[in-house]
Amino acid sequence: MKKSAIAGGVVVVLAAGWLGSTWYTGKRLQAEAPERLAELNQRLVQIYPDYGMKVEQLSYVRGFFSSQARYGLTMVGKGRDASDPVLPAGMVQVDVTAYHGPFPLQALSHGIVGPRLAWVHSAIARTDAAKALFDAAHGKTPVSSDIALSYGGNTQSTLNVAPLDFTYKGHKVAFGGAQSRSRFKRATQDLQSTTEFASLSYDGANLGGGQVSIKANPQSLEIDPLIWKTDKGEGRFMMTAKGKLAQDGSGQPASTDAAKPALESLKAKLILSKAMLNELTASYLVIAQGMSQQEADKAAPRQVNGVAGIGTMLGLVRDDGANLVTDVQYGKGKLSINGHERDVSELEQMLPDVGDGSSDGGSN
């Protein structure tokens, strides 16, 4: 038999295997969609209990190489602000295209190699309910995402928010957009994400921009760091919290108040540039109280120093000259703020589900 015939046979076998896998993953995606949707709705209840968020599948069409679906998101809870100028009052619809594995070309083009169940692209649909969002984004897709979904349920994802311009109660708001990159492990519920926020301005006043990096699972939450910067300085927040998340009988996190974490240990530090606080306070005085810029520039330091003085007197803030600092440590039933031991009830007032201190993962 000629080598060319053997090679041709290998190509046919590989192609048949790839096509068969593509068909199979499309079928599996459709079968798993209800389960994934139920997981998402349960998580939304846990994270946003006051917003009444719910996602529904409106349509699903399975093809050979890809599948098309449309989902609807509604918010009917008490947490929603009915006067919000951008967030739709009705159902926000999202178009989803799932490109079937095992080797979706879209994943390869983004530098993600290896077998994948699917590459999923989602974008807010252009509907009447989302008109304000599209207007704010100057006709571009306001929010979109790409997710590489593995066979085990792990994901790598990117979320993009377009630059937005809109008017709120007669004031012009401009947001330069945001991008978030995340990794999620389904078995351990481990999440890592980094989000960058472009500049935000209000009536032409630049209020800064920033970023936040988060690591989370049912036992811990780490924020390192959360940064907000302006031309004058920056604020920085770091936190590591450990606790226990209540579960229902199935081993999944409960969707009631019992799911609130019992805090076992906490380390948190907040550093705020006084120059940045002066700048932001001056912008607030101009925007909210109608002061001239010159008046606001004089009044802002007095207000910042006044609040800092009260915080220092109460032991909640340390003034190191250029910055205001708060350092909180909690563990083994003991609480310290800026190195001084405090009554644990102070933390309980802020976090009513503080644990009994049985963990040894606490302060230093």
Side-chain angles (χ1 to χ4, degrees):
M1 182 178 292
K2 295 183 178 180
K3 291 183 179 180
S4 60
I6 296 174
V10 171
V11 170
V12 169
V13 170
L14 291 176
W18 176 72
L19 290 172
S21 298
T22 297
W23 174 84
Y24 167 75
T25 54
K27 186 177 181 181
R28 178 174 171 180
L29 277 171
Q30 184 178 16
E32 291 187 358
E35 178 185 351
R36 298 292 172 85
L37 187 60
E39 288 180 1
L40 173 60
N41 281 320
Q42 184 182 49
R43 186 169 294 275
L44 289 175
V45 169
Q46 294 169 5
I47 301 174
Y48 307 106
D50 293 334
Y51 284 80
M53 287 187 178
K54 183 178 181 181
V55 180
E56 303 172 63
Q57 183 175 290
L58 305 178
S59 65
Y60 196 105
V61 179
R62 180 164 62 92
F64 195 90
F65 294 101
S66 64
S67 296
Q68 307 287 331
R70 176 168 284 201
Y71 294 88
L73 169 66
T74 54
M75 283 198 310
V76 296
K78 61 183 180 181
R80 186 186 179 280
D81 183 358
S83 65
D84 194 296
V86 176
L87 196 61
M91 176 183 285
V92 180
Q93 297 186 19
V94 179
D95 284 327
V96 177
T97 302
Y99 299 93
H100 305 161
F103 298 103
L105 295 179
Q106 288 72 17
L108 296 175
S109 67
H110 285 77
I112 298 177
V113 297
R116 290 292 185 274
L117 178 62
W119 176 270
V120 182
H121 177 77
S122 305
I124 289 182
R126 193 184 295 269
T127 62
D128 290 342
K131 184 179 185 303
L133 274 172
F134 278 87
D135 289 345
H138 302 285
K140 296 181 179 179
T141 301
V143 183
S144 63
S145 71
D146 290 293
I147 302 174
L149 178 62
S150 75
Y151 284 93
N154 301 336
T155 62
Q156 292 175 250
S157 62
T158 301
L159 175 71
N160 292 287
V161 179
L164 303 173
D165 296 281
F166 56 94
T167 300
Y168 178 64
K169 295 183 178 179
H171 299 279
K172 293 183 178 180
V173 181
F175 175 50
Q179 184 179 77
S180 179
R181 297 183 180 277
S182 304
R183 290 176 178 266
F184 176 72
K185 292 184 178 180
R186 189 183 184 195
T188 58
Q189 300 288 295
D190 287 334
L191 172 68
Q192 297 184 27
S193 72
T194 298
T195 304
E196 297 181 354
F197 304 93
S199 62
L200 173 68
S201 68
Y202 195 93
D203 279 346
N206 185 7
L207 304 181
Q211 70 176 63
V212 59
S213 295
I214 297 174
K215 295 181 181 179
N217 61 43
Q219 289 78 41
S220 67
L221 171 64
E222 180 180 346
I223 301 174
D224 189 13
L226 167 64
I227 300 174
W228 193 263
K229 292 183 178 181
T230 70
D231 294 336
K232 300 294 185 180
E234 73 172 36
R236 184 178 289 260
F237 176 68
M238 297 80 71
M239 183 190 78
T240 300
K242 295 181 180 180
K244 295 179 179 179
L245 188 62
Q247 295 184 335
D248 60 23
S250 66
Q252 296 298 317
S255 58
T256 65
D257 286 344
K260 293 181 180 178
L263 185 65
E264 295 179 349
S265 66
L266 172 71
K267 295 181 180 181
K269 190 169 187 177
L270 176 65
I271 305 171
L272 296 174
S273 159
K274 289 201 288 187
M276 181 194 71
L277 289 175
N278 291 341
E279 181 184 16
L280 292 176
T281 301
S283 296
Y284 169 79
L285 294 174
V286 171
I287 294 168
Q289 298 188 13
M291 286 188 182
S292 69
Q293 189 64 55
Q294 186 176 10
E295 291 173 328
D297 288 341
K298 290 181 179 180
R302 292 197 298 269
Q303 293 198 10
V304 171
N305 288 334
V307 173
I310 295 173
T312 301
M313 182 178 65
L314 295 175
L316 302 177
V317 174
R318 185 176 75 249
D319 189 338
D320 69 3
N323 302 298
L324 301 178
V325 181
T326 298
D327 194 336
V328 178
Q329 304 269 337
Y330 170 77
K332 296 182 178 179
K334 295 182 179 180
L335 169 68
S336 71
I337 301 178
N338 295 324
H340 301 286
E341 189 168 334
R342 305 293 291 261
D343 192 327
V344 174
S345 64
E346 295 183 39
L347 188 60
E348 291 174 342
Q349 291 173 5
M350 296 180 287
L351 301 169
D353 294 294
V354 170
D356 59 9
S358 59
S359 171
D360 63 355
S363 60
N364 296 316

